[in-house]
Short mmCIF file of all heavy atoms in Angstrom, two decimals:
data_model
loop_
_atom_site.label_atom_id
_atom_site.label_comp_id
_atom_site.label_asym_id
_atom_site.label_seq_id
_atom_site.Cartn_x
_atom_site.Cartn_y
_atom_site.Cartn_z
N GLU A 1 -2.06 -0.75 -7.16
CA GLU A 1 -2.58 0.00 -5.97
C GLU A 1 -3.46 1.17 -6.41
O GLU A 1 -3.26 1.68 -7.54
CB GLU A 1 -1.45 0.58 -5.11
CG GLU A 1 -0.45 -0.49 -4.54
CD GLU A 1 0.70 -0.63 -5.50
OE1 GLU A 1 0.61 -0.31 -6.71
OE2 GLU A 1 1.76 -1.10 -5.02
N SER A 2 -4.38 1.55 -5.54
CA SER A 2 -5.22 2.72 -5.81
C SER A 2 -5.76 3.23 -4.40
O SER A 2 -5.55 2.55 -3.43
CB SER A 2 -6.38 2.32 -6.74
OG SER A 2 -7.25 1.40 -6.06
N GLY A 3 -6.26 4.40 -4.44
CA GLY A 3 -6.88 4.95 -3.23
C GLY A 3 -6.06 6.11 -2.62
O GLY A 3 -6.59 6.75 -1.66
N GLY A 4 -4.90 6.43 -3.08
CA GLY A 4 -4.19 7.47 -2.53
C GLY A 4 -4.69 8.83 -2.86
O GLY A 4 -5.74 8.94 -3.59
N GLY A 5 -4.24 9.84 -2.22
CA GLY A 5 -4.69 11.17 -2.42
C GLY A 5 -4.20 12.11 -1.42
O GLY A 5 -3.28 11.90 -0.60
N LEU A 6 -4.74 13.31 -1.39
CA LEU A 6 -4.35 14.36 -0.40
C LEU A 6 -5.43 14.48 0.64
O LEU A 6 -6.65 14.54 0.39
CB LEU A 6 -4.32 15.67 -1.14
CG LEU A 6 -4.08 16.90 -0.26
CD1 LEU A 6 -2.77 16.86 0.40
CD2 LEU A 6 -4.18 18.17 -1.15
N VAL A 7 -5.01 14.44 1.94
CA VAL A 7 -5.87 14.45 3.06
C VAL A 7 -5.26 15.29 4.15
O VAL A 7 -4.05 15.39 4.27
CB VAL A 7 -6.14 13.02 3.49
CG1 VAL A 7 -4.84 12.32 4.05
CG2 VAL A 7 -7.25 12.98 4.60
N GLN A 8 -6.12 15.88 4.97
CA GLN A 8 -5.61 16.68 6.06
C GLN A 8 -5.28 15.76 7.24
O GLN A 8 -5.75 14.62 7.37
CB GLN A 8 -6.75 17.71 6.61
CG GLN A 8 -6.93 18.80 5.60
CD GLN A 8 -7.89 19.81 6.17
OE1 GLN A 8 -8.72 19.55 7.05
NE2 GLN A 8 -7.73 21.07 5.73
N ALA A 9 -4.32 16.26 8.07
CA ALA A 9 -3.92 15.48 9.28
C ALA A 9 -5.23 15.15 10.08
O ALA A 9 -6.11 15.93 10.22
CB ALA A 9 -2.94 16.32 10.12
N GLY A 10 -5.25 13.94 10.50
CA GLY A 10 -6.33 13.43 11.32
C GLY A 10 -7.41 12.66 10.45
O GLY A 10 -8.29 12.06 10.95
N GLY A 11 -7.21 12.80 9.20
CA GLY A 11 -8.20 12.21 8.22
C GLY A 11 -7.88 10.69 7.96
O GLY A 11 -6.93 10.11 8.52
N SER A 12 -8.58 10.17 6.98
CA SER A 12 -8.47 8.75 6.74
C SER A 12 -8.46 8.58 5.21
O SER A 12 -8.97 9.37 4.42
CB SER A 12 -9.73 7.97 7.25
OG SER A 12 -9.77 8.07 8.62
N LEU A 13 -7.83 7.44 4.78
CA LEU A 13 -7.77 6.97 3.40
C LEU A 13 -7.83 5.46 3.43
O LEU A 13 -7.31 4.82 4.46
CB LEU A 13 -6.61 7.43 2.68
CG LEU A 13 -6.59 8.91 2.10
CD1 LEU A 13 -5.07 9.19 1.59
CD2 LEU A 13 -7.57 9.13 1.14
N ARG A 14 -8.42 4.84 2.43
CA ARG A 14 -8.30 3.43 2.31
C ARG A 14 -7.62 3.08 0.94
O ARG A 14 -8.16 3.48 -0.13
CB ARG A 14 -9.71 2.75 2.31
CG ARG A 14 -9.59 1.18 2.41
CD ARG A 14 -10.95 0.53 2.45
NE ARG A 14 -11.57 0.45 1.19
CZ ARG A 14 -12.52 -0.46 0.89
NH1 ARG A 14 -12.88 -1.39 1.78
NH2 ARG A 14 -13.11 -0.48 -0.32
N LEU A 15 -6.50 2.43 1.06
CA LEU A 15 -5.72 1.97 -0.16
C LEU A 15 -6.27 0.57 -0.50
O LEU A 15 -6.56 -0.23 0.32
CB LEU A 15 -4.32 1.99 0.11
CG LEU A 15 -3.67 3.33 0.67
CD1 LEU A 15 -2.19 3.20 0.82
CD2 LEU A 15 -4.08 4.51 -0.19
N SER A 16 -6.16 0.30 -1.79
CA SER A 16 -6.54 -1.00 -2.36
C SER A 16 -5.28 -1.56 -3.09
O SER A 16 -4.57 -0.77 -3.80
CB SER A 16 -7.74 -0.92 -3.18
OG SER A 16 -8.84 -0.52 -2.51
N CYS A 17 -5.07 -2.84 -3.13
CA CYS A 17 -4.10 -3.51 -3.97
C CYS A 17 -4.81 -4.67 -4.63
O CYS A 17 -5.22 -5.61 -3.87
CB CYS A 17 -2.97 -3.97 -3.13
SG CYS A 17 -1.76 -4.87 -4.08
N GLY A 18 -4.95 -4.59 -5.91
CA GLY A 18 -5.57 -5.66 -6.70
C GLY A 18 -4.50 -6.39 -7.39
O GLY A 18 -3.37 -5.95 -7.61
N ALA A 19 -4.84 -7.69 -7.75
CA ALA A 19 -3.77 -8.47 -8.37
C ALA A 19 -4.36 -9.33 -9.53
O ALA A 19 -5.49 -9.66 -9.47
CB ALA A 19 -3.14 -9.39 -7.37
N SER A 20 -3.51 -9.54 -10.47
CA SER A 20 -3.72 -10.59 -11.53
C SER A 20 -2.63 -11.50 -11.57
O SER A 20 -1.45 -11.15 -11.30
CB SER A 20 -3.95 -9.83 -12.88
OG SER A 20 -2.80 -9.14 -13.22
N GLY A 21 -2.89 -12.83 -11.77
CA GLY A 21 -1.82 -13.78 -11.84
C GLY A 21 -1.29 -14.29 -10.55
O GLY A 21 -0.39 -15.07 -10.50
N ILE A 22 -1.98 -13.86 -9.47
CA ILE A 22 -1.65 -14.32 -8.11
C ILE A 22 -2.88 -14.29 -7.21
O ILE A 22 -3.73 -13.44 -7.44
CB ILE A 22 -0.45 -13.53 -7.57
CG1 ILE A 22 0.26 -14.19 -6.38
CG2 ILE A 22 -0.94 -12.10 -7.20
CD1 ILE A 22 1.50 -13.60 -5.95
N ILE A 23 -2.89 -15.24 -6.35
CA ILE A 23 -4.09 -15.38 -5.41
C ILE A 23 -3.61 -14.85 -4.05
O ILE A 23 -2.74 -15.46 -3.44
CB ILE A 23 -4.66 -16.75 -5.34
CG1 ILE A 23 -5.07 -17.28 -6.71
CG2 ILE A 23 -5.81 -16.75 -4.41
CD1 ILE A 23 -6.08 -16.42 -7.49
N PHE A 24 -4.15 -13.78 -3.64
CA PHE A 24 -3.66 -13.22 -2.29
C PHE A 24 -3.93 -14.19 -1.16
O PHE A 24 -3.11 -14.10 -0.25
CB PHE A 24 -4.42 -11.87 -2.05
CG PHE A 24 -3.77 -10.65 -2.75
CD1 PHE A 24 -4.57 -9.55 -3.16
CD2 PHE A 24 -2.43 -10.66 -3.13
CE1 PHE A 24 -4.00 -8.48 -3.77
CE2 PHE A 24 -1.91 -9.56 -3.78
CZ PHE A 24 -2.64 -8.43 -4.14
N SER A 25 -5.01 -14.84 -1.14
CA SER A 25 -5.31 -15.69 -0.01
C SER A 25 -4.28 -16.76 0.16
O SER A 25 -4.21 -17.47 1.25
CB SER A 25 -6.69 -16.26 -0.09
OG SER A 25 -6.75 -17.13 -1.21
N THR A 26 -3.50 -17.08 -0.80
CA THR A 26 -2.48 -18.14 -0.71
C THR A 26 -1.06 -17.56 -0.53
O THR A 26 -0.10 -18.33 -0.62
CB THR A 26 -2.54 -19.10 -1.88
OG1 THR A 26 -2.18 -18.42 -3.16
CG2 THR A 26 -3.89 -19.76 -2.03
N ASN A 27 -0.98 -16.29 -0.31
CA ASN A 27 0.33 -15.66 -0.20
C ASN A 27 0.35 -14.61 0.95
O ASN A 27 -0.75 -14.15 1.35
CB ASN A 27 0.71 -14.93 -1.50
CG ASN A 27 1.00 -15.82 -2.64
OD1 ASN A 27 2.12 -16.31 -2.75
ND2 ASN A 27 0.01 -16.13 -3.41
N VAL A 28 1.52 -14.34 1.41
CA VAL A 28 1.73 -13.26 2.36
C VAL A 28 1.80 -11.98 1.57
O VAL A 28 2.49 -11.89 0.50
CB VAL A 28 2.92 -13.44 3.15
CG1 VAL A 28 3.18 -12.21 4.05
CG2 VAL A 28 2.84 -14.73 4.03
N VAL A 29 1.01 -10.94 2.06
CA VAL A 29 1.01 -9.67 1.35
C VAL A 29 1.39 -8.57 2.28
O VAL A 29 0.94 -8.58 3.44
CB VAL A 29 -0.42 -9.39 0.72
CG1 VAL A 29 -0.30 -8.02 -0.03
CG2 VAL A 29 -0.89 -10.45 -0.17
N ASP A 30 2.39 -7.76 1.78
CA ASP A 30 2.84 -6.64 2.61
C ASP A 30 2.52 -5.33 1.94
O ASP A 30 2.35 -5.20 0.71
CB ASP A 30 4.35 -6.69 2.77
CG ASP A 30 4.81 -7.88 3.51
OD1 ASP A 30 4.81 -7.88 4.76
OD2 ASP A 30 5.25 -8.89 2.96
N TRP A 31 2.37 -4.28 2.82
CA TRP A 31 2.38 -2.91 2.35
C TRP A 31 3.65 -2.28 2.89
O TRP A 31 4.09 -2.45 3.98
CB TRP A 31 1.28 -2.10 2.95
CG TRP A 31 -0.10 -2.33 2.31
CD1 TRP A 31 -1.08 -3.19 2.70
CD2 TRP A 31 -0.58 -1.70 1.14
NE1 TRP A 31 -2.20 -3.09 1.81
CE2 TRP A 31 -1.94 -2.20 0.85
CE3 TRP A 31 -0.05 -0.72 0.27
CZ2 TRP A 31 -2.66 -1.77 -0.22
CZ3 TRP A 31 -0.84 -0.34 -0.82
CH2 TRP A 31 -2.15 -0.86 -1.08
N TYR A 32 4.27 -1.49 1.89
CA TYR A 32 5.53 -0.67 2.23
C TYR A 32 5.13 0.73 1.88
O TYR A 32 4.14 0.99 1.15
CB TYR A 32 6.64 -1.16 1.34
CG TYR A 32 7.36 -2.41 1.81
CD1 TYR A 32 6.82 -3.61 1.56
CD2 TYR A 32 8.58 -2.31 2.52
CE1 TYR A 32 7.55 -4.77 1.99
CE2 TYR A 32 9.23 -3.49 2.91
CZ TYR A 32 8.67 -4.68 2.68
OH TYR A 32 9.32 -5.79 3.09
N ARG A 33 5.98 1.64 2.29
CA ARG A 33 5.83 3.02 1.87
C ARG A 33 7.22 3.65 1.65
O ARG A 33 8.25 3.14 2.29
CB ARG A 33 5.10 3.81 2.85
CG ARG A 33 5.74 3.94 4.23
CD ARG A 33 4.73 4.69 5.18
NE ARG A 33 5.32 4.88 6.50
CZ ARG A 33 4.64 5.44 7.55
NH1 ARG A 33 3.35 5.80 7.34
NH2 ARG A 33 5.18 5.54 8.69
N GLN A 34 7.31 4.60 0.82
CA GLN A 34 8.65 5.25 0.57
C GLN A 34 8.35 6.75 0.39
O GLN A 34 7.64 7.15 -0.51
CB GLN A 34 9.29 4.69 -0.69
CG GLN A 34 10.67 5.30 -0.86
CD GLN A 34 11.55 4.38 -1.73
OE1 GLN A 34 11.06 3.64 -2.55
NE2 GLN A 34 12.82 4.48 -1.58
N ALA A 35 8.92 7.52 1.27
CA ALA A 35 8.94 8.97 1.14
C ALA A 35 10.19 9.46 0.42
O ALA A 35 11.20 8.79 0.42
CB ALA A 35 8.88 9.57 2.58
N PRO A 36 10.13 10.67 -0.18
CA PRO A 36 11.23 11.17 -0.94
C PRO A 36 12.52 11.21 -0.01
O PRO A 36 12.43 11.74 1.11
CB PRO A 36 10.77 12.52 -1.42
CG PRO A 36 9.34 12.40 -1.46
CD PRO A 36 8.94 11.51 -0.29
N GLY A 37 13.58 10.75 -0.51
CA GLY A 37 14.86 10.88 0.20
C GLY A 37 14.94 9.91 1.37
O GLY A 37 15.96 9.99 2.17
N LYS A 38 13.99 9.00 1.54
CA LYS A 38 14.12 8.09 2.64
C LYS A 38 14.04 6.57 2.15
O LYS A 38 13.63 6.37 1.00
CB LYS A 38 12.88 8.28 3.72
CG LYS A 38 12.94 9.60 4.28
CD LYS A 38 11.78 9.72 5.32
CE LYS A 38 11.82 10.90 6.14
NZ LYS A 38 10.76 11.03 7.17
N GLN A 39 14.53 5.77 3.05
CA GLN A 39 14.42 4.34 2.61
C GLN A 39 13.03 3.77 2.63
O GLN A 39 12.17 4.24 3.36
CB GLN A 39 15.27 3.49 3.55
CG GLN A 39 16.76 3.65 3.34
CD GLN A 39 17.65 2.66 4.22
OE1 GLN A 39 17.15 2.26 5.29
NE2 GLN A 39 18.82 2.35 3.76
N ARG A 40 12.85 2.76 1.80
CA ARG A 40 11.51 2.14 1.80
C ARG A 40 11.30 1.55 3.14
O ARG A 40 12.15 0.86 3.83
CB ARG A 40 11.46 1.05 0.73
CG ARG A 40 10.14 0.51 0.44
CD ARG A 40 10.16 -0.26 -0.86
NE ARG A 40 10.24 0.61 -1.99
CZ ARG A 40 10.23 0.21 -3.27
NH1 ARG A 40 10.11 -1.07 -3.58
NH2 ARG A 40 10.40 1.08 -4.24
#
């Protein structure tokens, strides 16, 4: 993954997930997130 950073509320970011050894178009791909002290 890449593209994270610090942004002000109301702003935008675009995250990327690149892969080797797997073809995304033939698989289901999910995004998850995990904040400190919280469940994924």
Side-chain angles (χ1 to χ4, degrees):
E1 301 94 337
S2 62
L6 174 64
V7 63
Q8 289 187 333
S12 298
L13 283 174
R14 188 178 79 157
L15 307 183
S16 300
C17 177
S20 59
I22 196 166
I23 304 300
F24 278 152
S25 61
T26 63
N27 289 275
V28 175
V29 181
D30 294 280
W31 280 98
Y32 282 79
R33 65 187 181 185
Q34 186 158 23
K38 295 186 177 181
Q39 286 190 330
R40 190 166 290 181

